[in-house]
Amino acid sequence: MFDPAGLNYDGNGLIPAIAQDETGDVLMMAWMNAEAVSRTLETGRVTYWSRSRQSFWIKGETSGHVQELVEMRVDCDSDCLLLIVRQTGPACHTGRRSCFYTAVRDGETVEIMAPIA
Amino acid sequence: MFDPAGLNYDGNGLIPAIAQDETGDVLMMAWMNAEAVSRTLETGRVTYWSRSRQSFWIKGETSGHVQELVEMRVDCDSDCLLLIVRQTGPACHTGRRSCFYTAVRDGETVEIMAPIA
């Protein structure tokens, strides 16, 4: 039986959650508390904890760019989550598919992804 | 020009770094400080900061299970890194390819990956 309370949260009660789509692209990393983990599993809609707003953040609730949970995975130390998701539209608030659109190449930053929306 | 000091570190001076291999598998998540980011870029050998040992952790230095950096990517908020790596052997200390070998399915935890070494 999986118990969200059994995960290893940091001093703020949070655990990092990596969202990856089914093709293997890593889309973003955000944070969850135990209640966000529970809600994500119960609803199938990925729900983070917004550190800046100090509130639950149902991904895509205002933008429509929802993340449907395909599978939640836990790492060996139970201190990080990997979420396999079905992403509608861009995951990044900049309109790009992934938040990781900047690469470091030869000491310079290079944009490797254009906005899709 | 990319400057590791320009990243957004947490209160402990750390930034989460996700390691993904070239096939798309997410292998692990660990932490870096600015010096670890610099060393990783300079040496091409992924170097984390071990929070438990409070020291640099050149991945694979003792186990031989090294991570060769293919590309470092930065997210939109500059508060998370994605490392594309060439992984020798298992990334996980349990001998599994990835640390994310436990899935949550129908409320139960299921092991989805066996040790390779």
Side-chain angles (χ1 to χ4, degrees):
Chain A
M1 180 82 179
F2 173 72
D3 181 2
L7 295 171
N8 289 319
Y9 299 92
D10 69 12
N12 296 311
L14 300 176
I15 188 169
I18 303 160
Q20 180 181 36
D21 74 14
E22 292 172 293
T23 70
D25 287 340
V26 174
L27 303 177
M28 57 181 286
M29 196 283 278
W31 298 81
M32 291 185 170
N33 57 17
E35 177 66 20
V37 174
S38 294
R39 292 189 186 192
T40 296
L41 288 169
E42 281 162 23
T43 64
R45 284 279 298 274
V46 177
T47 302
Y48 299 103
W49 176 257
S50 169
R51 297 179 301 171
S52 55
R53 295 192 301 269
Q54 289 287 302
S55 62
F56 291 103
W57 164 30
I58 304 172
K59 177 70 182 163
E61 196 177 29
T62 53
S63 66
H65 302 147
V66 298
Q67 287 180 345
E68 183 190 342
L69 184 70
V70 175
E71 185 163 274
M72 183 180 290
R73 297 183 188 156
V74 183
D75 81 345
C76 50
D77 295 325
S78 297
D79 63 3
C80 187
L81 300 174
L82 178 63
L83 313 170
I84 312 299
V85 303
R86 218 163 278 138
Q87 171 72 46
T88 299
C92 184
H93 73 287
T94 66
R96 291 172 179 85
R97 177 78 182 159
S98 164
C99 295
F100 296 95
Y101 57 82
T102 304
V104 181
R105 293 181 181 169
D106 299 323
E108 304 288 335
T109 55
V110 181
E111 205 178 299
I112 57 171
M113 209 177 295
I116 57 170
Chain B
M1 180 82 180
F2 174 72
D3 181 4
L7 295 170
N8 290 317
Y9 299 92
D10 69 11
N12 296 311
L14 300 176
I15 188 169
I18 303 160
Q20 180 182 37
D21 73 14
E22 292 172 293
T23 71
D25 287 341
V26 174
L27 303 177
M28 58 181 285
M29 197 282 279
W31 298 81
M32 290 186 172
N33 57 16
E35 177 66 19
V37 174
S38 294
R39 291 189 187 193
T40 297
L41 288 169
E42 280 162 23
T43 64
R45 285 279 299 274
V46 177
T47 303
Y48 300 102
W49 177 257
S50 168
R51 297 179 301 172
S52 55
R53 295 193 301 270
Q54 289 286 301
S55 62
F56 291 102
W57 164 29
I58 304 172
K59 177 69 181 163
E61 196 177 28
T62 53
S63 67
H65 301 147
V66 298
Q67 287 180 346
E68 182 189 341
L69 183 69
V70 175
E71 184 163 273
M72 183 180 289
R73 297 183 189 156
V74 183
D75 81 345
C76 51
D77 295 326
S78 297
D79 63 3
C80 187
L81 300 174
L82 178 63
L83 313 170
I84 312 298
V85 303
R86 218 163 278 138
Q87 170 73 47
T88 299
C92 185
H93 72 288
T94 66
R96 292 171 178 85
R97 177 79 182 157
S98 164
C99 295
F100 296 96
Y101 58 82
T102 304
V104 181
R105 294 181 180 168
D106 298 324
E108 304 289 335
T109 55
V110 181
E111 204 177 299
I112 57 172
M113 210 176 295
I116 57 171

